Amino acid sequence: MELRQLRYFIAVADELHFSRAAGRLHISGPALSQQIMALERDVGAELLLRDRRGVRLTAAGRSLLQDARRIVGLADDARQRLRLAAAISAPLRLGYVSWLPDDLPALVGPAVALRVDEWVLPSHAQADRVAEGTLDLAVAWVTTTEIEKRGLTADFLCAEPLYAVSPSVGSGAAVAALQVTVLVDADESAWSSWNRFAGEFAGDTGAPIARVDDGGITGEAFYAHVRRIGSPVLASPKRHTAVSPPSLARRPITPTPLWTWSLLRRADDERAVVHHVVETLLTAAQSRHWSDPPERPWWLPSDDPHRARLGTQQ
């Protein structure tokens, strides 16, 4: 009794028609008939009654059908587990920009050979690397247009509320968006995603734009710009390596600008290990509320891929 013959028998039992079953199995009718007869010889019983009215299961056929479904199901489950184990053993390359879960290795589990890429690049560069195949996954900010252009899938992982940094010490009160200066850097190769986000935020809210050319979107140069401007400045999601000066304070913004982190993968990547990591991180995002927006009204760019899920509370 061969597994292939049991699959053929199940197809005929489901269709009760040899020609339809042969089409479903992508084999010829005579070949299917020969395999069913070989199965009947092997089990020593007639399984199917064939006449001009069609095909019917015998008592022996009905009895075997239950066992056949169970045997084939067990074989399929075993094959899927082995394929997943083999796929998981291969290194999976993940890139990011500035945010990753602190316990990422523990989340995906020791069976996954996850390799976090140390080459930290801007969002648009990481999206390009996923599209070209030098990364398998990336956590980055993207627009709907970029996703479609690159052939990517972007799953919603985290909504990060942005805040303002102000020289007003001791004031934690929210500041209106039109009172927040946004920095736009001349270096598009490094800051094109941020410039697009900041420029649209300024256009929608009336926030003033200050153009810089020193990479001062983050770090010591950012804090120097806040002191120079003398009013609240929008902080980017790029993590500040420099310690925040005690003379500056963080302040919430109304409406809150939301920076959405997407988990990027190629739309045609059907590998089991990729889907395993994606499902694991999305489950964590839901249970840990990473993707929950703030309660206050928020602002999103018009081409954000997660607008429908977050809603339009702006």
Side-chain angles (χ1 to χ4, degrees):
M1 185 186 304
E2 298 179 7
L3 189 62
R4 176 184 58 172
Q5 292 172 342
L6 292 179
R7 292 186 189 278
Y8 289 175
F9 171 64
I10 292 170
V12 177
D14 287 344
E15 301 291 342
L16 293 178
H17 196 283
F18 269 82
S19 294
R20 287 197 298 267
R24 167 175 155 181
L25 295 165
H26 305 291
I27 63 172
S28 68
L32 177 59
S33 294
Q34 290 174 6
Q35 291 298 322
I36 294 298
M37 287 188 290
L39 177 61
E40 289 176 323
R41 286 194 301 270
D42 188 33
V43 299
E46 190 176 27
L47 302 173
L48 299 163
L49 294 175
R50 312 159 180 82
D51 56 34
R52 285 179 291 181
R53 291 179 297 175
V55 178
R56 289 175 293 145
L57 287 165
T58 65
R62 289 192 293 272
S63 176
L64 178 62
L65 182 59
Q66 298 178 14
D67 292 331
R69 293 192 193 280
R70 185 165 56 252
I71 292 168
V72 169
L74 288 171
D76 289 343
D77 289 345
R79 181 182 293 106
Q80 181 63 24
R81 287 195 302 272
L82 289 172
R83 286 178 176 174
L84 178 59
I88 283 177
S89 65
L92 191 71
R93 301 156 299 176
L94 183 144
Y96 73 106
V97 180
S98 64
W99 179 85
L100 277 181
D102 293 334
D103 58 345
L104 179 62
L107 277 176
V108 301
V112 178
L114 187 66
R115 181 183 300 162
V116 177
D117 196 88
E118 295 181 357
W119 195 10
V120 178
L121 293 173
S123 285
H124 66 277
Q126 300 294 42
D128 284 339
R129 295 179 68 198
V130 174
E132 70 190 16
T134 55
L135 286 177
D136 300 300
L137 295 165
V139 178
W141 181 89
V142 288
T143 64
T144 301
T145 301
E146 290 173 322
I147 294 168
E148 295 173 351
K149 180 181 178 181
R150 291 173 170 84
L152 302 177
T153 294
D155 292 297
F156 186 28
L157 199 57
C158 178
E160 181 174 348
L162 302 187
Y163 58 90
V165 175
S166 169
S168 302
V169 177
S171 175
V175 58
L178 57 80
Q179 298 176 319
V180 177
T181 299
V182 296
L183 303 180
V184 173
D185 198 280
D187 185 1
E188 282 289 320
S189 65
W191 298 105
S192 66
S193 296
W194 170 254
N195 288 349
R196 188 182 304 113
F197 181 97
E200 187 172 344
F201 176 74
D204 286 351
T205 64
I209 293 177
R211 301 190 181 278
V212 299
D213 59 4
D214 58 357
I217 306 301
T218 187
E220 292 284 3
F222 172 79
Y223 295 128
H225 287 305
V226 175
R227 289 190 290 264
R228 173 180 59 82
I229 293 169
S231 61
V233 177
L234 179 63
S236 79
K238 186 72 174 178
R239 300 299 178 261
H240 291 278
T241 55
V243 178
S244 177
S247 59
L248 303 179
R250 290 173 50 155
R251 298 178 64 180
I253 305 170
T254 304
T256 304
L258 283 186
W259 182 274
T260 59
W261 292 112
S262 296
L263 182 58
L264 304 179
R265 56 190 166 95
R266 292 181 295 284
D268 60 356
D269 193 342
E270 296 298 332
R271 288 175 296 164
V273 65
V274 171
H275 285 272
H276 169 74
V277 173
V278 169
E279 291 172 7
T280 298
L281 291 182
L282 292 182
T283 299
Q286 183 175 10
S287 64
R288 300 183 181 190
H289 306 289
W290 296 338
S291 54
D292 289 356
E295 294 182 0
R296 309 186 283 276
W298 59 82
W299 175 90
L300 282 173
S302 59
D303 203 23
D304 190 286
H306 310 300
R307 284 180 67 89
R309 176 169 175 177
L310 284 166
T312 56
Q313 295 188 38
Q314 303 194 96

